[in-house]
């Protein structure tokens, strides 16, 4: 399946310099996508800030797991290039205020995750949104890795 050109541009822009990416729903279990996708991105130069209140204090990707996106933004000095989301679609409205508050350049809902109302609210606030796509797969295709 070809990658839509807006997604190609988003991936190229995101990785033009090493990005800082908060991963909402990061997980320490290696066989789960919420581990191996951010692990791949970390290997490609991204600073990964894992966000999952259930694992606060555990170290993932060389960083202690954080309780919230606000904590991730603070850890990054207020600069989040992207938030990659590994949460059920039905849970997304509950994260909207926090996503708007940290104002990342990009919110990426991983494969199988989408919510049109949340996406529209984020876009209205000036945030780029990608829904129902895998950043690991798209990065590998776009960047040739």
């Amino acid at each position: 399946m070809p990658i839509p050109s807006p997604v190609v541009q988003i991936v190229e822009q995101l990785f033009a310099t090493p990005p800082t990416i908060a991963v909402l729903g990061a997980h320490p279990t290696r066989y789960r996508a919420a581990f191996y996708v951010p692990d791949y991105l970390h290997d490609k130069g991204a600073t990964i800030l894992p966000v999952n209140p259930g694992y606060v204090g555990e170290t993932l990707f060389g960083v202690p797991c954080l309780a919230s996106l606000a904590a991730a933004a603070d850890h990054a000095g207020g600069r989040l290039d992207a938030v990659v989301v590994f949460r059920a679609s039905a849970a997304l409205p509950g994260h909207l205020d926090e996503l708007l508050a940290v104002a990342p350049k990009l919110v990426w809902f991983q494969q199988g995750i989408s919510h049109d109302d949340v996406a529209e609210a984020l876009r209205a606030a000036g945030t780029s949104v990608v829904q129902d796509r895998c950043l690991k797969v798209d990065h590998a295709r776009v960047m040739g890795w």
Side-chain angles (χ1 to χ4, degrees):
M1 169 175 26
I3 302 172
S5 61
V7 172
V8 171
Q9 292 171 340
I10 287 169
V11 171
E12 288 174 341
Q13 288 172 358
L14 180 61
F15 283 89
T17 60
T20 299
I21 301 173
V23 179
L24 183 60
H27 202 278
T29 303
R30 293 188 175 277
Y31 66 82
R32 292 181 66 156
F35 179 87
Y36 64 75
V37 170
D39 188 50
Y40 165 89
L41 299 172
H42 177 72
D43 286 346
K44 300 305 179 198
T47 297
I48 301 296
L49 302 175
V51 177
N52 189 325
Y55 297 100
V56 169
E58 287 195 37
T59 299
L60 297 173
F61 325 110
V63 178
C65 196
L66 303 163
S68 67
L69 289 174
D74 287 345
H75 186 87
R79 179 184 158 260
L80 291 177
D81 295 308
V83 174
V84 176
V85 179
F86 288 92
R87 297 280 291 137
S89 297
L92 298 180
H95 294 289
L96 179 58
D97 288 342
E98 190 176 24
L99 286 164
L100 291 169
V102 299
K105 297 174 189 173
L106 168 67
V107 174
W108 189 292
F109 299 144
Q110 275 296 116
Q111 190 169 2
I113 303 168
S114 65
H115 197 291
D116 290 337
D117 292 339
V118 171
E120 274 308 306
L122 290 166
R123 286 185 186 113
T127 299
S128 296
V129 179
V130 175
Q131 299 191 80
D132 191 23
R133 296 195 65 88
C134 180
L135 182 52
K136 177 183 182 290
V137 171
D138 285 344
H139 177 274
R141 288 180 178 169
V142 170
M143 305 305 276
W145 294 337

